[in-house]
Amino acid sequence: MVGDKARGEMNAFQRNESKETLFTFISAGDDPPKGDFPVQKKSPKLCGSNYPLSIAFIVVNEFCERFSYYGMRAVLTLYFLSFFHWDENLSTAVYHAFSALCYFTPVIGAIMADSWLGKYKTIIYLSIVYVVGHLIKSVGAIPSLGNQAVHVILSMVGLFLIALGTGGIKPCVSAFGGDQFEEEHTSERNKFFSIFYLSINAGSLISTFVTPVLRGDVKCFGEDCYALAFGVPAALMVLALVVFIAGSGLYRKTPPQGNVLLEVCKCIGFAIKNRLKNRSPQIPKRDHWLDWASEKYSKQLIGEVKMVTRVLFLFIPLPMFWALFDQQGSRWTLQATKMNADFGIYVLQPDQMQFLNPLLILVFIPIFDLGLYPLINMCKFNFTPIRKMATGMILAGMAFGLAAVVEVKINENDMPRLVPEESLIRVLNLAKNPVRVTIQDQDLFQQPVEAFQNPVEYSKLILNGEEQSLRFTLQHQGLSLDFNYTVKEKSVYSLIVFEADGSLSSRLITDLEAKPENGLAAVRFINGLSEDVNLTIDNKQFIAVQKNYSASEYSLLERDRYNNGKCITEMGEFTLELGLLDFGASYTIVITNVSGGAVKTWKSEDIKSNNVHMAWQLPQYLLISAGEVMFSITGLAFSYSQWAEFVLFTVLLFAVCIIFSIMGYFYVSVDPEDLEEKEEKRETSSRGNMISLVTKKTKL
């Protein structure tokens, strides 16, 4: 999260310094700019300090905007999973496609601000786009509005506009804040960026904790209230826009001054073009390929572009770190849905765990800067920026190693994977005496099944095709009864044995094949009474179950204790107590009789509840956050120290996209069996074509 947040602050300072105090790009043959620049008015100060009053509006705007963005994004993966009923892979893919678009659109915003509209108008116009996107996204989350296709279209349009808005204003807001300071107040400006960064983390921290509560704890339209979870961030974005416009009369507004990125691209393009035109051996060589741009561009610009290319090469691994980092909002959130979220005094929503990252960042930054780094320096260890970044990447790798261990422990509690020509079965003996069960061509259930014995686990049925008719033999009190049932592959069954009209009978019913999603509990009822019943659970679920051991469909419920249910029969209304229905568990509840004004039940746990606690995610969040502080903040500081003129991440984004596209275009799949043979041929060929390389250093 530091990478997303801090890059704005560093880029702001870089952009501000490069354009206002350091130099102006002058192409060869151009005349220096003439005339006086417009005199900027001085903004009123805060409480007699050197801080302009206008920055208060900018900081509040940033807090509301970050609340808006991170609050919406916190519930996005579960929205895809639960509202659209997409699978985990598609939900994750769309989530990361949206995140990638948010990191691409700053390029558009920077070009608009520097070459056309200026920062102020760019922020206004793209914030309006941002608000419209939020509103469309919120409307698309209303279940009663159209079918799923309508919801998907509205949501995708809304997300596109949000990505355009949030990314477009990202390079402008912090830079616009820096513009509010006079040149002699550099110390106050640097402190402003710290306050600005604090507002980002505060907005992120609060929103990632609050919006999952709005989603999960508030119910609307009979389900999780995604419309509210998206509507509140939309309202905060409207507030952000209103606050920013309210300070319009106080702002210092600098005119567009040309885009640095475009100037860099032109310089690189001219160098390549000029080099290709001058390939004759008679033309003297130059120390660096960028020196071929010297006919048109200044030495200072060329030198700075050289620095950019060197840093970009060093930062090629950076996208992999952020690709892993963004898994917090997708795979780690999905992992949390399969864990026990009960912390005793509070039950966390799975998407609330993301609030740990901004919280830990706020804790780690002073610890590292004031404690860890000085301690390492006292030990005479040269902890260079490169080493810090490498350590950060190692910590991130360790975080995902821990996440993998947690996932393995979670999967141990899953249902067995179903394969072709296999099924699972168990026996529920609801009779009064033990029953021995024998299944045709199967060697199962060696011991008699006791009355109301809670089965430990399912047993595997081996079939001879996609489905098979099997004979089930029940031995009970010296009697033997046969029943024939058709069993399908890759299915889960319960054989219910019960007494009806003085004799033994049975039913084969279908069970859940996997755990309920999103930490919900599944429950079904078997009516052992001789009359139909109507059941009410938490005044919302209404279930009708026919008599004589008929079974209801599964109902999905939030994890809770349900002791105030109602069971209505011909004899009257009775209390129904179900007890705790836990995270991710599946239950079969048998209504056995009515006594003392209450219904007597027997509860069987079909699928075990989530037994890995969500607290086990804390170590991986600690490591990824520590790695982020070392990798991201150090990387920004290192980049700034190598040059102070250009926006690193904008250029890096283009470089990575181009490199990846070229690599993907020329990628050819290799058969592992042919790899050794190809390597031998390549080595033989290379021996006859050796090239002597001379290393040269370029003086910058």
Side-chain angles (χ1 to χ4, degrees):
M1 190 165 294
V2 168
D4 178 45
K5 300 169 185 173
R7 75 188 63 172
E9 291 73 16
M10 292 298 297
N11 288 348
F13 184 71
Q14 294 163 13
R15 185 186 302 275
N16 193 55
E17 286 293 318
S18 63
K19 294 182 178 180
E20 296 184 9
T21 63
L22 295 177
F23 67 92
T24 301
F25 291 123
I26 303 175
S27 300
D30 292 343
D31 294 328
K34 297 179 180 180
D36 296 329
F37 289 101
V39 179
Q40 298 289 343
K41 64 179 180 180
K42 293 187 177 182
S43 173
K45 305 301 181 181
L46 281 170
C47 303
S49 66
N50 290 325
Y51 292 94
L53 180 61
S54 56
I55 66 170
F57 294 89
I58 297 174
V59 169
V60 174
N61 165 268
E62 185 67 11
F63 170 84
C64 295
E65 188 275 326
R66 290 292 85 184
F67 185 109
S68 169
Y69 174 73
Y70 283 107
M72 179 278 302
R73 202 179 74 160
V75 300
L76 195 56
T77 299
L78 295 187
Y79 174 69
F80 294 149
L81 194 70
S82 302
F83 195 84
F84 290 162
H85 304 290
W86 290 349
D87 60 30
E88 292 187 357
N89 292 331
L90 179 58
S91 301
T92 300
V94 176
Y95 173 89
H96 288 291
F98 167 71
S99 297
L101 185 60
C102 291
Y103 290 126
F104 176 79
T105 50
V107 178
I108 300 174
I111 294 175
M112 288 177 60
D114 291 341
S115 303
W116 180 26
L117 296 175
K119 301 184 189 74
Y120 176 75
K121 290 184 178 180
T122 300
I123 295 171
I124 293 292
Y125 295 158
L126 290 182
S127 292
I128 294 174
V129 173
Y130 201 164
V131 169
V132 172
H134 266 302
L135 295 177
I136 294 176
K137 184 75 184 69
S138 302
V139 172
I142 299 176
S144 59
L145 185 66
N147 55 24
Q148 181 168 348
V150 174
H151 296 148
V152 172
I153 292 173
L154 289 175
S155 295
M156 294 303 106
V157 171
L159 288 176
F160 176 80
L161 295 178
I162 290 172
L164 181 60
T166 187
I169 68 174
K170 189 184 298 292
C172 302
V173 178
S174 56
F176 188 67
D179 290 345
Q180 306 309 305
F181 292 85
E182 287 83 11
E183 290 305 318
E184 63 270 19
H185 298 148
T186 56
S187 175
E188 287 80 2
R189 180 172 54 190
N190 291 337
K191 292 179 181 179
F192 157 74
F193 285 125
S194 297
I195 299 172
F196 188 86
Y197 176 70
L198 178 63
S199 71
I200 293 176
N201 280 276
S204 171
L205 175 63
I206 297 173
S207 65
T208 52
F209 190 87
V210 171
T211 52
V213 174
L214 299 177
R215 172 197 63 80
D217 292 354
V218 179
K219 302 298 178 184
C220 57
F221 306 101
E223 54 188 66
D224 283 357
C225 200
Y226 285 101
L228 180 63
F230 292 137
V232 170
L236 264 293
M237 190 57 219
V238 172
L239 179 60
L241 178 57
V242 170
V243 169
F244 187 76
I245 294 176
S248 176
L250 302 174
Y251 297 141
R252 300 175 73 239
K253 304 169 186 176
T254 57
Q257 299 176 3
N259 187 263
V260 177
L261 176 61
L262 294 178
E263 197 72 15
V264 171
C265 293
K266 289 178 182 178
C267 178
I268 294 175
F270 182 82
I272 296 174
K273 181 180 179 180
N274 197 24
R275 179 66 183 92
L276 294 176
K277 285 183 177 179
N278 297 277
R279 290 177 293 176
S280 173
Q282 286 76 26
I283 299 178
K285 295 183 179 181
R286 303 186 183 184
D287 292 336
H288 195 281
W289 64 272
L290 279 169
D291 291 334
W292 290 95
S294 60
E295 283 81 359
K296 185 175 181 180
Y297 295 94
S298 66
K299 291 184 179 180
Q300 183 177 3
L301 174 61
I302 294 172
E304 305 249 353
V305 175
K306 290 178 182 179
M307 297 180 190
V308 171
T309 57
R310 292 175 60 192
V311 176
L312 287 177
F313 177 78
L314 181 65
F315 276 11
I316 286 177
L318 185 145
M320 179 56 67
F321 176 88
W322 294 114
L324 294 177
F325 175 81
D326 260 358
Q327 298 292 319
Q328 295 177 74
S330 56
R331 290 297 181 184
W332 285 16
T333 296
L334 294 174
Q335 183 184 72
T337 64
K338 298 178 287 186
M339 305 177 76
N340 187 336
D342 187 0
F343 285 81
I345 60 175
Y346 188 78
V347 177
L348 278 181
Q349 299 290 340
D351 37 1
Q352 272 184 305
M353 284 296 287
Q354 299 174 62
F355 91 96
L356 283 176
N357 178 253
L359 177 63
L360 291 172
I361 292 299
L362 292 176
V363 172
F364 281 159
I365 288 177
I367 291 178
F368 279 45
D369 288 342
L370 303 179
L372 180 61
Y373 293 156
L375 182 61
I376 293 176
N377 292 334
M378 290 174 60
C379 297
K380 305 301 181 182
F381 180 74
N382 187 17
F383 203 29
T384 63
I386 300 298
R387 290 174 179 173
K388 291 178 183 177
M389 295 173 65
T391 304
M393 297 183 72
I394 293 173
L395 291 176
M398 293 172 61
F400 274 85
L402 290 180
V405 173
V406 171
E407 190 70 17
V408 169
K409 298 300 295 183
I410 290 174
N411 292 337
E412 290 178 356
N413 203 31
D414 276 351
M415 289 286 288
R417 184 179 298 274
L418 297 171
V419 298
E421 298 187 357
E422 286 187 5
S423 289
L424 300 176
I425 192 170
R426 65 172 189 165
V427 176
L428 295 180
N429 180 12
L430 307 182
K432 298 178 181 178
N433 298 293
V435 175
R436 180 180 292 276
V437 179
T438 305
I439 305 177
Q440 173 190 342
D441 300 330
Q442 309 289 327
D443 186 20
L444 305 175
F445 310 119
Q446 301 298 321
Q447 300 296 325
V449 180
E450 299 293 331
F452 291 92
Q453 173 183 323
N454 203 346
V456 177
E457 58 185 15
Y458 285 89
S459 299
K460 185 181 298 183
L461 281 173
I462 306 299
L463 309 179
N464 57 15
E466 293 183 358
E467 64 178 35
Q468 182 180 354
S469 179
L470 297 175
R471 183 178 68 254
F472 291 73
T473 301
L474 308 181
Q475 296 177 344
H476 176 256
Q477 293 184 333
L479 298 177
S480 181
L481 300 172
D482 292 336
F483 301 88
N484 292 319
Y485 295 107
T486 298
V487 178
K488 297 181 179 181
E489 67 176 0
K490 302 173 70 174
S491 299
V492 183
Y493 297 97
S494 284
L495 179 67
I496 303 174
V497 180
F498 56 92
E499 296 181 21
D501 299 328
S503 63
L504 202 64
S505 186
S506 68
R507 276 199 177 96
L508 189 68
I509 60 177
T510 304
D511 296 355
L512 289 181
E513 299 173 1
K515 277 179 166 291
E517 295 180 346
N518 301 330
L520 298 175
V523 60
R524 69 176 173 187
F525 295 88
I526 296 177
N527 181 12
L529 304 180
S530 58
E531 54 183 304
D532 297 344
V533 299
N534 292 301
L535 308 175
T536 303
I537 306 173
D538 70 3
N539 298 321
K540 298 177 182 178
Q541 296 282 344
F542 301 96
I543 305 169
V545 191
Q546 296 181 350
K547 60 184 178 180
N548 296 331
Y549 294 92
S550 295
S552 70
E553 297 294 331
Y554 281 101
S555 298
L556 296 178
L557 300 171
E558 297 283 345
R559 188 259 191 188
D560 205 345
R561 294 187 180 274
Y562 295 88
N563 294 323
N564 297 317
K566 300 295 181 182
C567 177
I568 302 175
T569 69
E570 295 178 356
M571 297 181 291
E573 182 178 300
F574 303 93
T575 302
L576 178 64
E577 296 184 0
L578 305 181
L580 176 64
L581 303 182
D582 213 348
F583 295 107
S586 171
Y587 300 93
T588 295
I589 297 179
V590 182
I591 301 174
T592 57
N593 58 72
V594 176
S595 176
V599 174
K600 302 299 182 182
T601 61
W602 176 72
K603 182 166 67 175
S604 171
E605 191 177 48
D606 307 342
I607 300 177
K608 294 181 180 179
S609 62
N610 300 344
N611 61 354
V612 180
H613 200 276
M614 201 180 288
W616 285 106
Q617 280 195 323
L618 180 59
Q620 65 201 54
Y621 272 98
L622 285 168
L623 287 176
I624 195 71
S625 300
E628 181 187 359
V629 171
M630 285 191 165
F631 185 87
S632 178
I633 294 181
T634 305
L636 288 168
F638 173 72
S639 306
Y640 181 73
S641 68
Q642 300 300 300
W643 98 94
E645 314 299 333
F646 307 106
V647 182
L648 169 65
F649 288 99
T650 302
V651 181
L652 179 63
L653 179 62
F654 273 107
V656 170
C657 289
I658 294 172
I659 292 172
F660 183 79
S661 299
I662 295 174
M663 294 172 65
Y665 180 82
F666 289 103
Y667 176 78
V668 179
S669 298
V670 179
D671 187 346
E673 296 180 357
D674 298 334
L675 184 60
E676 184 176 353
E677 181 180 353
K678 291 181 179 180
E679 287 296 325
E680 290 177 354
K681 291 182 180 180
R682 187 181 295 110
E683 183 178 357
T684 303
S685 176
S686 64
R687 290 195 187 104
N689 297 278
M690 297 296 289
I691 299 176
S692 178
L693 300 179
V694 179
T695 302
K696 295 184 177 181
K697 295 183 179 180
T698 301
K699 185 176 181 181
L700 302 179

PDB file of all heavy atoms in Angstrom, residues 555-572:
ATOM      1  N   SER A 555     -29.948 -24.744   3.463  1.00  0.00           N
ATOM      2  CA  SER A 555     -30.084 -23.297   3.588  1.00  0.00           C
ATOM      3  C   SER A 555     -28.764 -22.734   4.088  1.00  0.00           C
ATOM      4  O   SER A 555     -28.109 -23.333   4.956  1.00  0.00           O
ATOM      5  CB  SER A 555     -31.210 -22.932   4.560  1.00  0.00           C
ATOM      6  OG  SER A 555     -32.463 -23.404   4.090  1.00  0.00           O
ATOM      7  N   LEU A 556     -28.361 -21.584   3.542  1.00  0.00           N
ATOM      8  CA  LEU A 556     -27.111 -20.942   3.940  1.00  0.00           C
ATOM      9  C   LEU A 556     -27.396 -19.843   4.950  1.00  0.00           C
ATOM     10  O   LEU A 556     -28.264 -18.988   4.736  1.00  0.00           O
ATOM     11  CB  LEU A 556     -26.399 -20.357   2.716  1.00  0.00           C
ATOM     12  CG  LEU A 556     -25.928 -21.370   1.671  1.00  0.00           C
ATOM     13  CD1 LEU A 556     -25.282 -20.650   0.490  1.00  0.00           C
ATOM     14  CD2 LEU A 556     -24.939 -22.369   2.276  1.00  0.00           C
ATOM     15  N   LEU A 557     -26.655 -19.868   6.057  1.00  0.00           N
ATOM     16  CA  LEU A 557     -26.865 -18.919   7.145  1.00  0.00           C
ATOM     17  C   LEU A 557     -25.532 -18.318   7.574  1.00  0.00           C
ATOM     18  O   LEU A 557     -24.472 -18.934   7.411  1.00  0.00           O
ATOM     19  CB  LEU A 557     -27.519 -19.608   8.349  1.00  0.00           C
ATOM     20  CG  LEU A 557     -28.888 -20.259   8.127  1.00  0.00           C
ATOM     21  CD1 LEU A 557     -29.274 -21.077   9.355  1.00  0.00           C
ATOM     22  CD2 LEU A 557     -29.932 -19.206   7.846  1.00  0.00           C
ATOM     23  N   GLU A 558     -25.597 -17.119   8.127  1.00  0.00           N
ATOM     24  CA  GLU A 558     -24.417 -16.524   8.739  1.00  0.00           C
ATOM     25  C   GLU A 558     -24.032 -17.310   9.976  1.00  0.00           C
ATOM     26  O   GLU A 558     -24.865 -17.931  10.638  1.00  0.00           O
ATOM     27  CB  GLU A 558     -24.693 -15.068   9.125  1.00  0.00           C
ATOM     28  CG  GLU A 558     -25.010 -14.144   7.961  1.00  0.00           C
ATOM     29  CD  GLU A 558     -23.778 -13.755   7.183  1.00  0.00           C
ATOM     30  OE1 GLU A 558     -22.662 -13.969   7.711  1.00  0.00           O
ATOM     31  OE2 GLU A 558     -23.921 -13.241   6.062  1.00  0.00           O
ATOM     32  N   ARG A 559     -22.753 -17.288  10.292  1.00  0.00           N
ATOM     33  CA  ARG A 559     -22.286 -17.981  11.483  1.00  0.00           C
ATOM     34  C   ARG A 559     -22.871 -17.321  12.726  1.00  0.00           C
ATOM     35  O   ARG A 559     -22.717 -16.126  12.955  1.00  0.00           O
ATOM     36  CB  ARG A 559     -20.761 -17.932  11.526  1.00  0.00           C
ATOM     37  CG  ARG A 559     -20.138 -18.774  12.624  1.00  0.00           C
ATOM     38  CD  ARG A 559     -19.721 -17.939  13.782  1.00  0.00           C
ATOM     39  NE  ARG A 559     -18.907 -18.687  14.715  1.00  0.00           N
ATOM     40  CZ  ARG A 559     -18.526 -18.248  15.911  1.00  0.00           C
ATOM     41  NH1 ARG A 559     -18.907 -17.035  16.306  1.00  0.00           N
ATOM     42  NH2 ARG A 559     -17.786 -18.991  16.696  1.00  0.00           N
ATOM     43  N   ASP A 560     -23.592 -18.107  13.538  1.00  0.00           N
ATOM     44  CA  ASP A 560     -24.234 -17.549  14.729  1.00  0.00           C
ATOM     45  C   ASP A 560     -24.833 -18.694  15.541  1.00  0.00           C
ATOM     46  O   ASP A 560     -24.859 -19.857  15.111  1.00  0.00           O
ATOM     47  CB  ASP A 560     -25.336 -16.562  14.339  1.00  0.00           C
ATOM     48  CG  ASP A 560     -25.603 -15.533  15.431  1.00  0.00           C
ATOM     49  OD1 ASP A 560     -25.143 -15.753  16.573  1.00  0.00           O
ATOM     50  OD2 ASP A 560     -26.269 -14.523  15.140  1.00  0.00           O
ATOM     51  N   ARG A 561     -25.334 -18.326  16.720  1.00  0.00           N
ATOM     52  CA  ARG A 561     -26.115 -19.265  17.533  1.00  0.00           C
ATOM     53  C   ARG A 561     -27.596 -19.014  17.272  1.00  0.00           C
ATOM     54  O   ARG A 561     -28.066 -17.894  17.412  1.00  0.00           O
ATOM     55  CB  ARG A 561     -25.795 -19.097  19.019  1.00  0.00           C
ATOM     56  CG  ARG A 561     -24.371 -19.482  19.363  1.00  0.00           C
ATOM     57  CD  ARG A 561     -24.126 -19.483  20.862  1.00  0.00           C
ATOM     58  NE  ARG A 561     -22.764 -19.864  21.147  1.00  0.00           N
ATOM     59  CZ  ARG A 561     -22.347 -21.127  21.269  1.00  0.00           C
ATOM     60  NH1 ARG A 561     -23.225 -22.121  21.156  1.00  0.00           N
ATOM     61  NH2 ARG A 561     -21.074 -21.402  21.517  1.00  0.00           N
ATOM     62  N   TYR A 562     -28.302 -20.073  16.897  1.00  0.00           N
ATOM     63  CA  TYR A 562     -29.714 -19.969  16.531  1.00  0.00           C
ATOM     64  C   TYR A 562     -30.535 -20.778  17.539  1.00  0.00           C
ATOM     65  O   TYR A 562     -30.686 -21.996  17.408  1.00  0.00           O
ATOM     66  CB  TYR A 562     -29.940 -20.485  15.110  1.00  0.00           C
ATOM     67  CG  TYR A 562     -29.250 -19.658  14.048  1.00  0.00           C
ATOM     68  CD1 TYR A 562     -27.934 -19.926  13.664  1.00  0.00           C
ATOM     69  CD2 TYR A 562     -29.907 -18.604  13.440  1.00  0.00           C
ATOM     70  CE1 TYR A 562     -27.305 -19.167  12.697  1.00  0.00           C
ATOM     71  CE2 TYR A 562     -29.286 -17.828  12.459  1.00  0.00           C
ATOM     72  CZ  TYR A 562     -27.985 -18.121  12.104  1.00  0.00           C
ATOM     73  OH  TYR A 562     -27.365 -17.352  11.140  1.00  0.00           O
ATOM     74  N   ASN A 563     -31.029 -20.083  18.549  1.00  0.00           N
ATOM     75  CA  ASN A 563     -31.795 -20.748  19.605  1.00  0.00           C
ATOM     76  C   ASN A 563     -33.207 -20.200  19.744  1.00  0.00           C
ATOM     77  O   ASN A 563     -33.902 -20.523  20.713  1.00  0.00           O
ATOM     78  CB  ASN A 563     -31.065 -20.627  20.950  1.00  0.00           C
ATOM     79  CG  ASN A 563     -29.747 -21.384  20.963  1.00  0.00           C
ATOM     80  OD1 ASN A 563     -29.636 -22.466  20.373  1.00  0.00           O
ATOM     81  ND2 ASN A 563     -28.740 -20.820  21.604  1.00  0.00           N
ATOM     82  N   ASN A 564     -33.616 -19.372  18.800  1.00  0.00           N
ATOM     83  CA  ASN A 564     -34.946 -18.776  18.885  1.00  0.00           C
ATOM     84  C   ASN A 564     -35.808 -19.106  17.678  1.00  0.00           C
ATOM     85  O   ASN A 564     -36.692 -18.338  17.306  1.00  0.00           O
ATOM     86  CB  ASN A 564     -34.834 -17.255  19.032  1.00  0.00           C
ATOM     87  CG  ASN A 564     -34.137 -16.847  20.318  1.00  0.00           C
ATOM     88  OD1 ASN A 564     -34.409 -17.410  21.385  1.00  0.00           O
ATOM     89  ND2 ASN A 564     -33.225 -15.891  20.211  1.00  0.00           N
ATOM     90  N   GLY A 565     -35.521 -20.264  17.059  1.00  0.00           N
ATOM     91  CA  GLY A 565     -36.317 -20.676  15.920  1.00  0.00           C
ATOM     92  C   GLY A 565     -37.691 -21.181  16.342  1.00  0.00           C
ATOM     93  O   GLY A 565     -37.977 -21.390  17.523  1.00  0.00           O
ATOM     94  N   LYS A 566     -38.556 -21.382  15.343  1.00  0.00           N
ATOM     95  CA  LYS A 566     -39.911 -21.864  15.591  1.00  0.00           C
ATOM     96  C   LYS A 566     -40.197 -23.075  14.712  1.00  0.00           C
ATOM     97  O   LYS A 566     -39.787 -23.118  13.546  1.00  0.00           O
ATOM     98  CB  LYS A 566     -40.936 -20.767  15.306  1.00  0.00           C
ATOM     99  CG  LYS A 566     -40.777 -19.504  16.145  1.00  0.00           C
ATOM    100  CD  LYS A 566     -41.032 -19.770  17.614  1.00  0.00           C
ATOM    101  CE  LYS A 566     -40.891 -18.486  18.439  1.00  0.00           C
ATOM    102  NZ  LYS A 566     -41.086 -18.746  19.890  1.00  0.00           N
ATOM    103  N   CYS A 567     -40.898 -24.034  15.287  1.00  0.00           N
ATOM    104  CA  CYS A 567     -41.357 -25.217  14.562  1.00  0.00           C
ATOM    105  C   CYS A 567     -42.879 -25.301  14.716  1.00  0.00           C
ATOM    106  O   CYS A 567     -43.389 -25.455  15.838  1.00  0.00           O
ATOM    107  CB  CYS A 567     -40.693 -26.487  15.095  1.00  0.00           C
ATOM    108  SG  CYS A 567     -41.272 -28.011  14.318  1.00  0.00           S
ATOM    109  N   ILE A 568     -43.595 -25.181  13.605  1.00  0.00           N
ATOM    110  CA  ILE A 568     -45.057 -25.170  13.630  1.00  0.00           C
ATOM    111  C   ILE A 568     -45.567 -26.498  13.084  1.00  0.00           C
ATOM    112  O   ILE A 568     -45.241 -26.895  11.961  1.00  0.00           O
ATOM    113  CB  ILE A 568     -45.601 -24.002  12.793  1.00  0.00           C
ATOM    114  CG1 ILE A 568     -45.043 -22.665  13.314  1.00  0.00           C
ATOM    115  CG2 ILE A 568     -47.122 -23.984  12.818  1.00  0.00           C
ATOM    116  CD1 ILE A 568     -45.424 -21.477  12.470  1.00  0.00           C
ATOM    117  N   THR A 569     -46.359 -27.194  13.898  1.00  0.00           N
ATOM    118  CA  THR A 569     -46.975 -28.458  13.511  1.00  0.00           C
ATOM    119  C   THR A 569     -48.478 -28.370  13.738  1.00  0.00           C
ATOM    120  O   THR A 569     -49.006 -27.336  14.164  1.00  0.00           O
ATOM    121  CB  THR A 569     -46.394 -29.619  14.340  1.00  0.00           C
ATOM    122  OG1 THR A 569     -46.840 -29.487  15.710  1.00  0.00           O
ATOM    123  CG2 THR A 569     -44.873 -29.606  14.312  1.00  0.00           C
ATOM    124  N   GLU A 570     -49.158 -29.482  13.476  1.00  0.00           N
ATOM    125  CA  GLU A 570     -50.599 -29.517  13.729  1.00  0.00           C
ATOM    126  C   GLU A 570     -50.900 -29.385  15.218  1.00  0.00           C
ATOM    127  O   GLU A 570     -51.980 -28.947  15.608  1.00  0.00           O
ATOM    128  CB  GLU A 570     -51.190 -30.811  13.181  1.00  0.00           C
ATOM    129  CG  GLU A 570     -51.101 -30.927  11.660  1.00  0.00           C
ATOM    130  CD  GLU A 570     -51.645 -32.253  11.168  1.00  0.00           C
ATOM    131  OE1 GLU A 570     -52.024 -33.097  12.022  1.00  0.00           O
ATOM    132  OE2 GLU A 570     -51.696 -32.463   9.939  1.00  0.00           O
ATOM    133  N   MET A 571     -49.937 -29.778  16.046  1.00  0.00           N
ATOM    134  CA  MET A 571     -50.135 -29.714  17.492  1.00  0.00           C
ATOM    135  C   MET A 571     -49.895 -28.311  18.052  1.00  0.00           C
ATOM    136  O   MET A 571     -50.250 -28.043  19.187  1.00  0.00           O
ATOM    137  CB  MET A 571     -49.211 -30.716  18.196  1.00  0.00           C
ATOM    138  CG  MET A 571     -49.494 -32.178  17.831  1.00  0.00           C
ATOM    139  SD  MET A 571     -48.391 -33.311  18.715  1.00  0.00           S
ATOM    140  CE  MET A 571     -46.825 -32.948  17.926  1.00  0.00           C
ATOM    141  N   GLY A 572     -49.239 -27.422  17.257  1.00  0.00           N
ATOM    142  CA  GLY A 572     -48.988 -26.075  17.744  1.00  0.00           C
ATOM    143  C   GLY A 572     -47.618 -25.570  17.346  1.00  0.00           C
ATOM    144  O   GLY A 572     -46.950 -26.123  16.459  1.00  0.00           O
TER     145      GLY A 572
END
